[in-house]
């Protein structure tokens, strides 16, 4: 009965029927500062009552008692994927201009329950913040399970974000409602390997120039700049790298640098070299894997692979043996396309299967 109730609610949420309310809030309010809330990802706690985040993949997890659970966030925070206990995950929309309290679970059996909550869109325009949970009167939070022992940092662009992966119409433009980072190669790989991840990714971003930028580059709008900060396009807080030291860093960039015929390969290679040193400086013990694909093809694909091979080999010659290379199979359309010809859900599944096999052998996980 428990699984039927949760599954029914998941279906309602997935077709856009949500249970938003406005203040005043009834129930037991749990503040974001509660010690039994587990945070994963780059989150700014300058205001501990309203922690802020912009990157997809950010997680807010906990366990709770009672029969219901509501999420309280800033209005128009975007989209989340929620999982209650072992029921199927479901998508939650918080896109109203005024409503910010959304029911995640109701009519649960009395007892202890678990919430896994992931932010699944790019929030740099939405500027989301978390304001707490609402439980039944007298209910409480419980300590969440420990995080998996394996940890990964994914650094990427729209492919890693999940741009348009819930669309099946290739000419579709970007829409928040068709982006779902939970269903990307990155998170599928994490689940297959029993790992968790921090994600630093944004659509259109490059290593030395972002999408369709000038040939000389866009130094104020590239990953080498944004990597140093907690939130995207928000220079108010530098990220404290001691808060997360991954065992593995996967870098999937370069598609935007080479996406229009206005690039400089020497500048791209030099930027990759600088970025590798930057990532290594912040993650001295991690294995670093340069990924390539799956949207590039033809001349640009050859250029990207050549540059990454050269940067990797030069790192080895300079004494850094823990830098590696992996190429995804380029997409052909056989598995369909997402919006703007981005990888479809099926393509992400294929990418995840390929990367999981490679990383399992590399990391011995």
């Amino acid at each position: 009965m428990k699984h039927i109730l949760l599954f029914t609610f998941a279906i309602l949420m997935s077709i856009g029927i949500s249970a938003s309310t406005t203040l005043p809030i009834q129930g037991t309010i749990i503040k974001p500062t509660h010690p039994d809330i587990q945070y994963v990802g780059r989150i700014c706690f300058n205001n501990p009552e309203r922690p802020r985040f912009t990157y997809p993949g950010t997680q807010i997890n906990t366990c709770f008692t009672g029969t219901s659970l509501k999420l309280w966030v800033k209005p128009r925070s975007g989209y989340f994927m929620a999982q209650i206990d072992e029921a199927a995950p479901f998508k939650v929309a918080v896109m109203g201009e005024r409503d910010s309290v959304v029911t995640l679970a109701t009519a649960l059996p009395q007892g202890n329950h678990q919430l896994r909550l992931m932010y699944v869109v790019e929030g740099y325009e939405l500027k989301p913040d978390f304001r707490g949970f609402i439980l039944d009167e007298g209910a409480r939070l419980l300590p969440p399970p420990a995080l998996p022992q394996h940890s990964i940092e994914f650094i990427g662009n729209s492919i890693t974000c999940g741009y348009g992966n819930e669309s099946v119409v290739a000419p579709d433009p970007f829409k928040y409602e068709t982006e779902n980072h939970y269903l990307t190669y990155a998170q599928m790989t994490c689940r297959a390997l029993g790992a968790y991840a921090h994600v630093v990714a944004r659509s259109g971003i490059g290593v030395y120039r972002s999408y369709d930028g000038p040939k000389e580059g866009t130094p104020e709008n590239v990953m080498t700049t944004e990597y140093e900060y907690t939130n995207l396009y928000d220079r108010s807080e530098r990220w404290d790298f001691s808060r997360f030291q991954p065992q593995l860093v996967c870098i999937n960039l370069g598609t935007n640098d080479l996406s229009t015929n206005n690039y400089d390969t020497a500048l791209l290679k030099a930027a990759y070299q600088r970025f590798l040193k930057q990532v290594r400086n912040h993650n001295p013990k991690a294995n670093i894997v340069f990924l390539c694909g799956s949207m590039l093809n033809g001349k640009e694909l050859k250029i990207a692979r050549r540059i990454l091979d050269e940067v990797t080999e030069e790192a080895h010659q300079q004494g850094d043996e823990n830098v590696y290379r992996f190429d995804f199979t380029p997409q052909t359309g056989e598995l369909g396309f997402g919006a703007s010809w981005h990888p479809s859900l099926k393509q992400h599944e294929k990418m995840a299967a390929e990367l999981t096999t490679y990383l399992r052998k590399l990391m011995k996980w």
Side-chain angles (χ1 to χ4, degrees):
M1 184 63 178
K2 170 181 174 182
H3 293 289
I4 294 173
L5 287 170
L6 287 170
F7 181 73
T8 301
F9 192 80
I11 293 297
L12 292 175
M13 294 298 291
S14 70
I15 61 175
I17 302 174
S18 60
S20 297
T21 65
T22 55
L23 301 179
I25 297 171
Q26 296 182 342
T28 299
I29 298 176
I30 305 296
K31 293 184 177 181
T33 53
H34 196 288
D36 289 330
I37 298 176
Q38 180 187 78
Y39 294 98
V40 176
R42 291 195 176 190
I43 303 173
C44 178
F45 292 98
N46 283 348
N47 179 355
E49 299 288 335
R50 292 190 177 185
R52 298 181 292 112
F53 48 92
T54 57
Y55 285 115
T58 302
Q59 296 181 50
I60 306 172
N61 305 319
T62 193
C63 291
F64 62 99
T65 66
T67 66
S68 70
L69 175 69
K70 295 182 177 69
L71 169 68
W72 184 12
V73 293
K74 172 181 171 287
R76 282 190 59 78
S77 278
Y79 291 84
F80 299 80
M81 286 290 283
Q83 183 177 20
I84 307 295
D85 299 331
E86 298 306 317
F90 55 93
K91 199 171 186 180
V92 179
V94 188
M95 292 299 288
E97 296 291 343
R98 298 176 61 186
D99 292 335
S100 63
V101 177
V102 180
T103 298
L104 299 182
T106 188
L108 296 172
Q110 285 287 355
N112 300 340
H113 303 284
Q114 182 178 356
L115 167 71
R116 301 178 186 90
L117 185 71
M118 180 181 291
Y119 191 62
V120 295
V121 296
E122 305 166 63
Y124 67 94
E125 292 178 321
L126 299 172
K127 296 179 173 59
D129 65 48
F130 172 58
R131 302 180 181 183
F133 295 117
I134 298 98
L135 304 177
D136 296 344
E137 289 288 355
R140 68 187 192 280
L141 292 190
L142 302 170
L147 289 169
Q149 63 176 327
H150 304 315
S151 57
I152 307 174
E153 180 175 69
F154 283 97
I155 305 171
N157 49 38
S158 56
I159 300 171
T160 302
C161 290
Y163 180 120
N165 61 349
E166 291 194 316
S167 172
V168 294
V169 181
D172 270 359
F174 174 83
K175 299 176 184 176
Y176 286 113
E177 56 263 39
T178 62
E179 181 174 65
N180 193 335
H181 175 73
Y182 184 87
L183 300 176
T184 60
Y185 78 92
Q187 293 299 335
M188 292 179 193
T189 298
C190 280
R191 291 192 287 276
L193 293 174
Y196 74 100
H198 278 213
V199 179
V200 185
R202 189 262 188 200
S203 293
I205 205 162
V207 185
Y208 102 95
R209 70 167 193 145
S210 289
Y211 179 77
D212 201 25
K215 190 172 186 177
E216 60 270 22
T218 55
E220 291 302 310
N221 180 25
V222 287
M223 187 56 76
T224 50
T225 301
E226 296 302 330
Y227 187 64
E228 298 297 314
Y229 296 94
T230 302
N231 285 327
L232 188 63
Y233 300 146
D234 178 352
R235 308 293 164 81
S236 64
E237 180 183 82
R238 283 190 171 271
W239 174 244
D240 178 359
F241 287 89
S242 68
R243 288 169 58 181
F244 179 67
Q245 284 289 293
Q247 297 162 300
L248 170 67
V249 178
C250 291
I251 303 172
N252 190 358
L253 294 168
T255 302
N256 291 300
D257 300 86
L258 297 168
S259 58
T260 56
N261 191 24
N262 190 34
Y263 50 81
D264 185 313
T265 57
L267 291 177
L268 176 57
K269 180 178 177 179
Y272 264 124
Q273 292 170 324
R274 290 193 302 272
F275 191 49
L276 175 58
K277 291 179 181 178
Q278 183 180 356
V279 172
R280 172 57 73 210
N281 180 59
H282 291 308
N283 304 277
K285 297 181 179 180
N287 285 336
I288 299 174
V289 181
F290 282 117
L291 310 179
C292 187
S294 60
M295 291 183 69
L296 290 174
N297 56 66
K299 180 180 74 171
E300 283 71 30
L301 177 60
K302 292 180 181 178
I303 291 171
R305 287 177 171 175
R306 174 181 59 79
I307 289 175
L308 290 175
D309 287 343
E310 291 173 356
V311 171
T312 300
E313 179 57 31
E314 290 166 8
H316 294 170
Q317 293 171 1
Q318 295 166 13
D320 190 346
E321 294 291 335
N322 296 322
V323 181
Y324 303 89
R325 280 276 293 110
F326 177 78
D327 293 327
F328 290 111
T329 301
Q331 63 186 24
T332 63
E334 180 182 357
L335 298 177
F337 291 107
S340 305
W341 287 269
H342 279 72
S344 65
L345 290 178
K346 290 291 186 182
Q347 192 73 44
H348 275 283
E349 290 174 0
K350 180 176 182 178
M351 293 168 68
E354 293 175 345
L355 185 58
T356 297
T357 300
Y358 174 78
L359 294 181
R360 182 170 281 129
K361 181 178 181 181
L362 173 69
M363 301 298 294
K364 298 179 173 57
W365 288 351

